[in-house]
Amino acid sequence: QVPLVESGGGSVQSGGSLRLSCVASEDKFKAYCMAWFRQGPGKEREGVAKITSGGSPTYNDSVQGRFTISRDNAKNTVYLEMNSLKPEDTAIYYCAAAPNSVCLLYDDFVLQKMNYWGQGTQVTVSS
């Protein structure tokens, strides 16, 4: 069973909006730190946003003020609301999960500490 399943990707024009969803397969993820990463063409995977089990968010500077991460523990779902999209936001977006202590101990997005990954959803922004 795939632990995390993303959806909501697509193609939009610059300035448009998309909302990504990540559904977790087990209730244990309610106690996990959840995060969104992305990997653009020819680029390394980078952290976009993360949220603690208690709902405290952290954002990459490049998306601050444009993206919003949230979670609905009743639905085992994490969302990424993306507004004012730019061509440089084009990437495969991945949902990831780690023990909540990872969010609390590290200010940065520590890719290596994420225990679970989804398969990704493509976001394409055209100019």
Side-chain angles (χ1 to χ4, degrees):
Q1 188 176 16
V2 179
L4 303 171
V5 179
E6 305 96 335
S7 63
S11 297
V12 296
Q13 291 191 328
S14 182
S17 299
L18 284 172
R19 188 175 82 156
L20 306 183
S21 299
C22 170
V23 179
S25 60
E26 300 179 44
D27 285 347
K28 70 178 183 182
F29 289 103
K30 299 181 195 299
Y32 273 58
C33 169
M34 302 297 294
W36 288 96
F37 287 75
R38 67 185 179 187
Q39 188 164 13
K43 298 181 181 179
E44 294 185 353
R45 194 170 298 189
E46 65 173 356
V48 175
K50 60 181 179 177
I51 187 167
T52 67
S53 60
S56 295
T58 302
Y59 299 96
N60 184 309
D61 288 345
S62 66
V63 306
Q64 181 76 48
R66 299 189 297 123
F67 291 12
T68 302
I69 188 171
S70 61
R71 65 191 300 162
D72 184 341
N73 284 340
K75 297 181 179 180
N76 284 354
T77 302
V78 177
Y79 303 99
L80 185 68
E81 185 75 36
M82 304 186 296
N83 297 314
S84 302
L85 283 162
K86 305 175 181 180
E88 51 263 44
D89 294 318
T90 294
I92 299 174
Y93 283 70
Y94 297 91
C95 179
N100 198 51
S101 57
V102 172
C103 267
L104 299 177
L105 289 174
Y106 299 96
D107 291 335
D108 293 334
F109 297 87
V110 187
L111 185 150
Q112 297 85 350
K113 296 292 186 181
M114 308 309 290
N115 299 109
Y116 300 93
W117 290 88
Q119 294 178 322
T121 185
Q122 177 72 47
V123 171
T124 303
V125 185
S126 58
S127 57

